[in-house]
């Protein structure tokens, strides 16, 4: 199949809407990352999405709607949903609710809940409006790869697999939406994103964070969100996260003899020797790091390095989305870097796996 790369126009929305209504696939920009869209009410479209991504079909898709009230068509809403909608929609929040029968089981991977999101990106909104159907859309990457933040990255993964890619520039947030579940007693974060637990807490009063958020869970686990059990975002070269003080991380990397690449804080880019360095943003600026992370994880392959290093993000609320993505991208490979120690210029603990 030929994959068309187009820029948005009234005619493009019409054609994209037609493709979606007849069961085809269109990738489109959102404020978080690019989505790979199909008609959420068409069971075959969901099957095509899983095939195009190479994604296990038990990993449910997020259904995109053009206004928060449209959730009524596909899910059983509640008061908390509307509190969250008032505060965060349209925007980078996905809410899991009990599903209505109209949503095919193939969209939700066979489970009885559905994830609902109302994106703020004007192209996504116009596409859903013109298509006149809710759009099921996971991130538009091959399963396991970093989510695409530009149309060009979508093209690299999806060329020949889908009918159309709409180019809307680089996604402004850069990591996928915050996913919360409202199917239990407490609003629970299943996947962290730009909207952080503290902000949710201010709106709904009580918030839990699923344990799987902080660990790279292995296949076979049964975390609340099925997507959390797969290795994700991983570059082909092994990524290792380094914990500890920044200067100790720099010394550790500079002691590495293999061909190396570093995802570096802006402040430290000049301090690494003999390394292919990518700036991922200022150390204390999680938003710029989120914006740059997936692009960095893709671009770093150009270095053709033997090993990639990055700082382990802090474990607090503001960095939770980065922590979650990076711990999964490295498959749990974290090495603590210690200050100058006895018996050598650099004492490094045994590598351990979380
Ligand atoms: P992606 O489609 O790549 O943005 O990933 C969607 C994420 O939302 C995955 O981690 C899914 O497991 C999660 N998700 C989607 N639908 C549900 C649902 N009904 N219940 C729990 N998690 C969901
Ligand atoms: Mg994804």
């Amino acid at each position: 199949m030929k994959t068309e790369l187009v820029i948005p126009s009234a005619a493009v929305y019409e054609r994209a809407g037609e493709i979606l209504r007849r069961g085809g696939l269109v990738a489109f920009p959102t404020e978080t990352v690019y989505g790979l869209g199909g008609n959420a009410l068409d069971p075959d479209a969901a099957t095509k999405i899983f095939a195009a991504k190479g994604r296990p079909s038990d990993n449910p898709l997020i259904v995109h709607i053009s206004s928060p009230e449209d959730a009524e068509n596909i899910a059983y809403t509640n008061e908390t949903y509307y509190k969250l909608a008032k505060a965060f929609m349209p925007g980078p929040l996905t809410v899991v609710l009990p599903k209505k029968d109209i949503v095919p089981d193939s969209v939700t991977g066979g489970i009885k809940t559905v994830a609902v999101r109302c994106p703020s990106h004007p192209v996504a909104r116009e596409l859903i409006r013109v298509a006149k159907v809710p759009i099921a859309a996971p991130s538009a990457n091959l399963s396991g790869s970093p989510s695409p933040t530009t149309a060009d990255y979508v093209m690299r993964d999806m060329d020949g697999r889908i009918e159309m890619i709409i180019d809307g520039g680089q996604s402004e947030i850069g990591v996928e939406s915050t996913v919360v579940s409202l199917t239990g007693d407490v609003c629970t974060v299943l996947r962290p994103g730009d909207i952080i637990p503290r902000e949710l807490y201010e709106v709904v009063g009580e918030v839990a964070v699923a344990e799987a958020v902080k660990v790279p869970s292995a296949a076979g686990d049964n975390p609340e969100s099925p997507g959390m059990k797969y290795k994700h975002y991983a570059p082909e070269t092994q990524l290792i996260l380094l914990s500890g003080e920044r200067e100790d991380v720099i010394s550790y990397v500079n002691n590495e003899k293999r061909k190396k690449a570093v995802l570096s804080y802006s402040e430290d880019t000049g301090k690494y020797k003999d390394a292919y360095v990518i700036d991922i943003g200022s150390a204390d600026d999680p938003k710029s790091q989120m914006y740059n992370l997936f692009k960095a994880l893709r671009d770093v392959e150009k270095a053709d390095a033997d090993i990639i290093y990055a700082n382990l993000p802090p474990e607090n609320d503001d960095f939770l989305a980065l922590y979650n993505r990076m711990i999964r991208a490295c498959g749990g490979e974290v090495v603590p870097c210690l200050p100058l120690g006895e018996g050598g210029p650099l004492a490094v603990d045994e590598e351990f796996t979380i």
Side-chain angles (χ1 to χ4, degrees), residues 55 59-62 96 111 113-115 138-139 190-191 224-227:
R55 175 165 170 156
N59 191 354
L61 305 175
I62 292 173
V96 176
I111 55 180
T113 56
V114 62
S139 48
L190 302 181
R191 178 176 72 186
E224 293 88 332
S225 183

Side-chain angles (χ1 to χ4, degrees), residues 33 53 55 59 138-141 144-148 176 191 232-233:
V33 300
K53 274 181 73 76
R55 175 165 170 156
N59 191 354
S139 48
N141 51 287
S145 304
S147 299
E176 308 88 338
R191 178 176 72 186
H232 247 95
Y233 317 122

